[in-house]
Structures are given as C-alpha cells and as structure tokens.
Amino acid sequence: MMLGFLLARAGIHVIVLEKHADFLRDFRGDTIHPSTLELMYELGLLKEFLNRPHQELREIAGQVGNETVKIGDFTHLPTRCKFLALMPQWDFLNFLAEQGRRYPGFHVRMQSEAVDLIEESGRIAGVRAKTAEGIIEFRAGLTIGADGRRSIVRQCAQLEIIDQGAPMDILWMRINRRPGDPAQTLGHAQAGRIFIMIDREDYWQCAFVIPKGAADDIRSRGIENFREEITTLAPFFRDRIHELRDWKDVSLLTVKVDRLKQWHRPGLLCIGDSAHAMSPIGGVGINLAIQDAVAAANILAPKLLNGNLSPGDLAAVQRRREFPTRATQRLQIAVQNRVIRRVLSSSQPLRLPLILRLLGRWPFLRRIPARVIGLGFRPEHIHTRENVARS
Ligand SMILES: Cc1cc2nc3c(=O)[nH]c(=O)nc-3n(C[C@H](O)[C@H](O)[C@H](O)COP(=O)(O)OP(=O)(O)OC[C@H]3O[C@@H](n4cnc5c(N)ncnc54)[C@H](O)[C@@H]3O)c2cc1C
C-alpha cells in the first residue's frame, strides 16, 4: 500500500490488489515506528495521521523473574516523534489508501487474489487474480510481490528462499484492561515462559511465547491449564481470565525467519515480508516493509516515469535493502538463540542477563535498542516529487 501510494504520488499508474474484502484482522503488527512517523512528516501527513486514535510508547521495559528493567528509551531519537505509535494496522492501511486516492493513478482492488504470474519471454508481465468477476489478468510494466510471509508471488516466481529457522511460536490473545492495572512493562520472562503485554488503552494485547511446534501439546492440556499459566505470569488477570473462553480466543502465529536469495526477476520485485519474513523480536517487520517501499519508490519511480526500467534497477533495490534486512535478522537470530531458546528450555529461576543489568544501570545505553527498533539500519527518506522529476 505504501509503495502504491508513493508511486501514484510520483505520477505512476498503480493497481494494488488485496485478497481480502477489508484490512480488519486482529493480532497483526500494530506498531508505527518513529522512522515511519518521520516519513509521514516528510510527506506532510504527520498531523493528520496523529489525529487518528493511537497510543504512544516512549520506553520499553521488561521483567525477568521479579526484577523489572528499562530496555529501550525512544525519547532521544533524532526524529520529530520520539515514540512508537500503536495503531490498528487496518487504520494505518486505510489511511494510506485514503491518501493514495488523492492521485488519479492510484487504484485499490479489494477481493482480488493473485493466484499466478503472467510470464512472457522470461519476463513477468503481470498477475492473474481471482476476483468476484472470475479470473482477471492484470498486466503491468512492473509487478511487486508485497503479499506477506506466505507470498504466492515469490512461490510462483520460484525465487530461492533461505530459511533461517526460529525456536518459537506465539499465541496471541486480548484481555480487557481495567483501572488499577500495573503500568506497561511489555516483556515478562520466567523459567520456561515469556509473556508480552502491550497496553492498547481498553485492552491488553498479549503474546505467550512457546517452543516451536508446542501449540498442539498446550491445547491438549486444556484452556483451564493455559489460563492458569497466564495468571502465574500476570496475577492481576485472575479476575478476568475467563474472558479466554476457549481456543478460538487464542491465535497461533507460526514464527518464520527467512529471506530470498534474489528479490527480483525481470519485471518482478518482492519487498516486505514477501522478500524477508522477520522474527517478531523487536517488532520491526512493519518498519522494514515500509522502508523497502520507500527505497523502491526512490529508485524505481524515475525509471518508470522515463520508461527505462531495467533488471539492474530491481537489483539496486535489493542492494539498498539487503544490508538492513540481514543485519536485523542477524540480531534477531542472536536473541532467539541466546535468550529465547535458553529461557524457554530453562527450569531454574532466571537471573537478569548481563546485558539487561547494564541497560538497567546506564540509561544512555537504552538509546541503542531504541535506535535499532525505532529507526533500524539505514533509514530511508522520501524523495520529493520535485526530486523525482529532476532525476
Ligand atoms: C501476529 C503478528 C504480529 C506482528 N506484530 C508485529 C509488530 O508488533 N510490529 C511489527 O513491526 N511487525 C509485526 N508483525 C510483522 C508485520 O505484520 C509484517 O512484517 C508486516 O506487516 C509486513 O508487511 P507486508 O506488507 O510485507 O506484508 P503483510 O502485512 O502481510 O501484507 C500482505 C497483504 O497482502 C495480502 N495478500 C496476501 N496474499 C495475497 C494474494 N495472493 N493476492 C492479493 N493479496 C494478498 C494480505 O491479505 C495482506 O493484506 C507481526 C506479524 C504477525 C503475524
């Protein structure tokens, strides 16, 4: 949606295909990072954007055993917004779609599911999509695969996937928030368990981290047992834990970390989760997807306008975005292996790891995780329309 908006803004004709009838899906990433808010400012949309209901997160804290420690502090970031905004993903996508409609070249087609690629003389020339009117061929000078971690586009294009593995899955749920609840700490780790709670004003968005593939075993022990596990980690939920009536109130996220060896073929480019599914560690998947979109628009818009797009330009997008992707995934995998794996397999009471003790003691160190999460590596900036026209 972001790339569609940016290309339409540059004067290019774009069709965004979305397989669902709306964007209403619970338990998706709802984090709008300071780097994305900066892009909104550069686009002149920040004020309007922040008028939408959202929450602002200025620091991140975690609890290990009984000790609480501050981990990240966004208030020193060199950005206009020194916080991470929490906004339902459907509000964010609807906002971008509304902004896109200001440009004559921008079209969104809901309930249009890409099912196959059109290939002509070794070049991708568009997609076939299942729509209410049957299968329709959408031909395009450039096709973008931005269809998420289960991308059909990358599968049809037979792009090679490098699977990096993940030791965990996540059970997501929402539990009502009540006056008198403790302040947000985000992560709670105890021997064998990790529980994350995000304050969404009238409810807590909760994630229970489990060992990879353990969901069936947990379900077989019954919802009562699961409720008990949650209240051990967050005792103040005891008065409302019955809100989790059955397993329908708990969604499973199968965690994947992978990336494509090559993100492109002639006529086709994959970005976002389709090019690199991220671990949920740090909640940076949206940030990377948005940054990919901005880099792709900056590099490709002038070429598309001039009609001289070449495979080398698609490779240039991968070159630009591969370093931030690899560096972020490397960090995520280190945390997965050194922290998550150990906590999940531990049966002894946990001690605060050295790195968290240092973050707790030296406030300035908390700027580092805040920078990695809030800005990421190699943050992108909007090329103005004037720049695009000039280049
Ligand atoms: C439960 C959960 C929690 C997460 N939490 C966070 C978080 O807190 N912070 C964060 O930064 N990231 C989070 N993420 C990751 C984040 O959601 C993704 O990294 C990010 O949304 C990737 O954006 P994308 O546009 O590449 O793909 P997606 O957001 O997955 O968008 C792909 C879109 O394409 C549509 N689509 C799929 N297939 C087709 C098709 N064949 N034809 C047409 N349309 C299609 C989908 O319906 C979807 O709307 C979370 C992910 C999950 C699953």
Side-chain angles (χ1 to χ4, degrees), residues 180-371:
D181 280 357
Q184 171 161 276
T185 49
L186 271 182
H188 299 247
Q190 282 186 11
R193 301 183 183 98
I194 301 173
F195 190 57
I196 291 151
M197 295 163 47
I198 306 170
D199 177 357
R200 304 306 303 271
E201 229 158 77
D202 51 348
Y203 69 94
W204 292 98
Q205 183 179 340
C206 304
F208 189 66
V209 183
I210 58 173
K212 182 109 221 126
D216 284 344
D217 188 36
I218 291 172
R219 286 195 196 110
S220 71
R221 280 187 254 134
I223 191 82
E224 263 308 325
N225 199 299
F226 182 65
R227 289 189 197 132
E228 198 50 47
E229 292 247 9
I230 303 287
T231 48
T232 312
L233 289 153
F236 65 96
F237 279 156
R238 202 163 281 285
D239 59 355
R240 68 204 92 150
I241 196 68
H242 58 272
E243 287 170 14
L244 298 180
R245 289 159 304 171
D246 54 40
W247 291 111
K248 283 195 213 101
D249 293 328
V250 181
S251 304
L252 170 67
L253 166 68
T254 308
V255 175
K256 270 191 191 186
V257 186
D258 66 30
R259 67 170 182 272
L260 296 179
K261 194 166 175 194
Q262 186 172 308
W263 300 16
H264 54 91
R265 280 185 50 185
L268 174 78
L269 172 70
C270 288
I271 60 167
D273 274 15
S274 161
H276 46 71
M278 306 301 291
S279 163
I281 290 165
V284 292
I286 298 176
N287 194 29
L288 266 101
I290 295 282
Q291 300 283 318
D292 286 359
V294 174
N298 287 343
I299 293 170
L300 304 178
K303 304 287 178 167
L304 287 163
L305 281 174
N306 294 335
N308 60 354
L309 181 78
S310 74
D313 301 319
L314 305 180
V317 177
Q318 175 173 354
R319 271 201 307 282
R320 171 98 199 146
R321 297 303 307 156
E322 187 145 24
F323 161 68
T325 304
R326 278 178 180 242
T328 312
Q329 287 186 333
R330 200 166 297 153
L331 269 180
Q332 290 182 319
I333 287 166
V335 176
Q336 279 184 181
N337 291 340
R338 294 205 192 137
V339 184
I340 310 277
R341 207 185 280 278
R342 276 194 205 161
V343 173
L344 291 180
S345 61
S346 162
S347 53
Q348 302 298 319
L350 297 178
R351 289 188 52 230
L352 209 56
L354 176 65
I355 179 91
L356 293 191
R357 284 205 298 269
L358 291 174
L359 289 170
R361 178 169 305 172
W362 305 103
F364 70 91
L365 289 180
R366 295 175 207 149
R367 298 179 192 186
I368 301 168
R371 203 176 169 107

Side-chain angles (χ1 to χ4, degrees), residues 18-20 25 27-29 31 114 152 172 253 273 283 285-286:
E18 166 56 52
K19 71 174 172 185
H20 292 288
R25 280 182 294 292
F27 307 125
R28 301 297 297 271
T31 48
I152 185 83
W172 284 98
L253 166 68
D273 274 15
I286 298 176

Side-chain angles (χ1 to χ4, degrees), residues 94-115:
N94 284 330
F95 178 81
L96 289 178
E98 272 168 36
Q99 298 305 322
R101 283 189 200 102
R102 291 173 18 209
Y103 302 101
F106 183 82
H107 305 276
V108 178
R109 269 198 72 129
M110 304 304 284
Q111 288 180 289
S112 302
E113 179 179 1
V115 288

